[in-house]
Amino acid sequence: MADCLFCKIAAKQIPASIVHEDADLVAFKDIAPQAPVHVLIVPRVHIESLNALDECHGALMGRIIVVAAKLARDLGLAEGGYRLVTNCGPDAGQTVFHLHTHLLGGTPLSGRMG
Ligand code: 5GP
Ligand code: ZN
């Protein structure tokens, strides 16, 4: 999508600290980290939010989780643990309307999730 921040990062039109990329996904460090490790995993294809998913996206969403878990292992988070978060819509505080999953870890995280 022409005017989407994460489409532009995925296309390398805007710089980001990329930690993983493949045919389907790009993962990069969050510009305003909320934990020692804060990575965003995004599909290359523009999907606005979880609200836009249907059955055809099942494999892609599975890959996001699998890549997040691999990154967590590679970044040394596996033993201590980590959190994956996908915000959807205003009540969850979604600010970028290109689907993304946050990988957060490297410190004990807040016990509250909402
Ligand atoms: P959301 O609030 O939509 O769940 O998450 C959006 C995330 O994108 C935020 O954590 C924010 O810090 C991050 N972000 C916003 N703009 C940029 C940017 O230009 N580059 C990077 N790397 N992250 C960004
Ligand atoms: Zn996009």
Side-chain angles (χ1 to χ4, degrees):
M1 203 178 115
D3 209 25
C4 169
L5 175 63
F6 287 176
C7 281
K8 287 180 177 168
I9 287 177
K12 299 193 175 160
Q13 292 164 0
I14 290 178
S17 182
I18 293 176
V19 296
H20 170 92
E21 59 182 324
D22 60 45
D24 304 315
L25 304 176
V26 179
F28 51 90
K29 293 182 182 173
D30 196 290
I31 203 168
Q34 296 185 41
V37 175
H38 187 170
V39 168
L40 303 172
I41 302 107
V42 315
R44 288 189 186 277
V45 64
H46 183 83
I47 301 170
E48 197 163 292
S49 77
L50 292 174
N51 281 337
L53 294 182
D54 59 33
E55 287 295 334
C56 76
H57 296 111
L60 181 64
M61 294 308 294
R63 286 222 59 238
I64 288 177
I65 305 293
V66 169
V67 166
K70 180 183 185 318
L71 283 170
R73 289 192 297 272
D74 292 350
L75 295 169
L77 302 180
E79 194 174 333
Y82 55 91
R83 183 171 291 156
L84 302 182
V85 176
T86 301
N87 293 319
C88 180
D91 281 358
Q94 184 178 3
T95 58
V96 177
F97 285 83
H98 177 127
L99 180 72
H100 52 280
T101 293
H102 300 253
L103 166 61
L104 297 146
T107 192
L109 300 167
S110 160
R112 281 183 56 83
M113 287 197 291

